[in-house]
Amino acid sequence: MKSGNSLLILWVCAVSLVGLNGCATKVYQLRPISGDVAQIDGRPTTKAEEKGIAVVASFERLDLQYVALDIEVKNKTDHPFDVDPADFQYTALDKDQHAVFIANSYPQKPLMFSAADPIQEADQTVYNQEREVKRIKRAKVINTVLLVAAVASDVASSSSRSNQRPERWVQNRITHNNIYTAIQAKRIIDHGLFADRMQRYDYEAYRWKELAMKPTTLQPGQSVRGLVYLPMSRDARHMLINYPVSEYESIMITFQQDWVNEKRNKK
């Protein structure tokens, strides 16, 4: 290869690396565009009220498959009010704030999502943890059975070495070494999956027990605050969130959802 071509290739690679370092990455953003919007602790926060029940809401973070909203519910009435985070729901809207409909549905149905129920999710997480423990125990038993079978086969083939041709014996050694390697690889994968899943379930248990808003009854003048987890939909450009305060009335809040470009900081 000529030196000129080599320099050209190096130059192209360098330019490509610079371009990669300056490439924009997509960052999720969610901001309220209805109600009384103000900057609180550096975050756009909105407040809406209906029939003496006030909701203060801001975007906390994108948490796995959920949009986590920091929400406070205040009871300004003269009677108790039951709060259940699972009652929060939203309708997906497009860029013009028109309802997004479920594809191929007839009659057309708007795309709607309900908030996660922290009590049910916590119970499901406990079940998932117990299931993973049973799964790793079964995997250990299977791995032991496989190893015992491999050792028995290896011993049997080795004891008959004198009756085997050299190439046959070599092939047996290669086969059994591959079997041992495969069993060890399976064991590592089993334990790796177990550790990864349990780590996620430990976080989920913490999320539902410590971070999420819990169902409660607010006495007059009381409030409750916590995170409400709504399933994230990429089909939505806006989220029309509603929370019922009576049989016929709801608090309505609109958030705008975007994936925006954010350039990496130059070192």
Side-chain angles (χ1 to χ4, degrees):
M1 183 180 291
K2 295 181 180 180
S3 59
N5 291 338
S6 300
L7 291 174
L8 177 61
I9 292 174
L10 289 174
W11 180 81
V12 171
C13 290
V15 171
S16 298
L17 290 173
V18 172
L20 287 173
N21 289 332
C23 282
T25 56
K26 292 291 186 180
V27 178
Y28 182 81
Q29 286 187 353
L30 189 71
R31 58 186 179 87
I33 58 172
S34 71
D36 299 327
V37 180
Q39 290 287 329
I40 300 179
D41 295 331
R43 294 188 301 182
T45 304
T46 186
K47 177 183 177 182
E49 186 174 333
E50 189 71 39
K51 294 296 181 180
I53 303 299
V55 170
V56 179
S58 63
F59 171 61
E60 178 69 18
R61 61 177 172 271
L62 193 60
D63 193 330
L64 301 176
Q65 74 272 35
Y66 292 106
V67 173
L69 298 181
D70 183 358
I71 290 182
E72 183 178 9
V73 180
K74 301 179 180 180
N75 182 7
K76 298 182 178 181
T77 70
D78 58 359
H79 56 271
F81 179 74
D82 292 332
V83 177
D84 188 344
D87 289 339
F88 280 92
Q89 62 176 214
Y90 76 89
T91 302
L93 307 179
D94 61 18
K95 61 183 180 63
D96 298 318
Q97 297 191 38
H98 297 148
V100 176
F101 293 96
I102 300 175
N104 302 321
S105 64
Y106 183 82
Q108 286 190 309
K109 297 179 180 180
L111 190 59
M112 301 180 67
F113 300 88
S114 295
D117 185 327
I119 305 300
Q120 291 183 4
E121 294 296 336
D123 291 342
Q124 181 63 42
T125 300
V126 171
Y127 170 78
N128 290 339
Q129 289 173 321
E130 294 174 348
R131 183 183 59 187
E132 284 305 316
V133 171
K134 293 178 181 178
R135 181 177 295 168
I136 193 64
K137 288 181 178 179
R138 287 196 301 269
K140 288 179 179 179
V141 172
I142 293 173
N143 292 339
T144 300
V145 171
L146 292 174
L147 183 59
V148 169
V151 171
S153 175
D154 194 4
V155 170
S157 62
S158 297
S159 62
S160 60
R161 176 180 178 181
S162 59
N163 299 325
Q164 295 180 15
R165 289 177 297 179
E167 61 271 18
R168 178 64 177 174
W169 183 85
V170 170
Q171 184 59 46
N172 280 336
R173 293 305 324 138
I174 294 174
T175 299
H176 284 91
N177 287 339
N178 289 338
I179 291 174
Y180 291 138
T181 301
I183 293 173
Q184 181 61 21
K186 180 180 181 303
R187 180 179 294 163
I188 293 173
I189 292 172
D190 290 338
H191 283 274
L193 288 174
F194 175 77
D196 290 342
R197 289 170 177 171
M198 290 300 288
Q199 184 177 27
R200 171 170 173 165
Y201 292 146
D202 286 343
Y203 167 70
E204 289 183 358
Y206 170 76
R207 175 174 65 185
W208 301 123
K209 292 180 180 179
E210 304 296 336
L211 302 179
M213 180 186 291
K214 305 299 188 299
T216 186
T217 298
L218 294 179
Q219 299 300 323
Q222 290 184 339
S223 65
V224 63
R225 182 178 177 181
L227 297 184
V228 173
Y229 294 89
L230 294 160
M232 198 274 285
S233 171
R234 290 182 175 271
D235 295 325
R237 289 294 300 275
H238 295 84
M239 299 167 60
L240 178 59
I241 299 172
N242 72 83
Y243 185 73
V245 296
S246 69
E247 187 176 356
Y248 304 104
E249 294 166 303
S250 297
I251 295 175
M252 312 290 284
I253 298 174
T254 303
F255 278 78
Q256 181 174 315
Q257 175 176 273
D258 290 300
W259 290 90
V260 299
N261 291 329
E262 181 178 82
K263 289 189 175 181
R264 298 173 183 172
N265 295 327
K266 294 182 179 180
K267 294 182 179 180

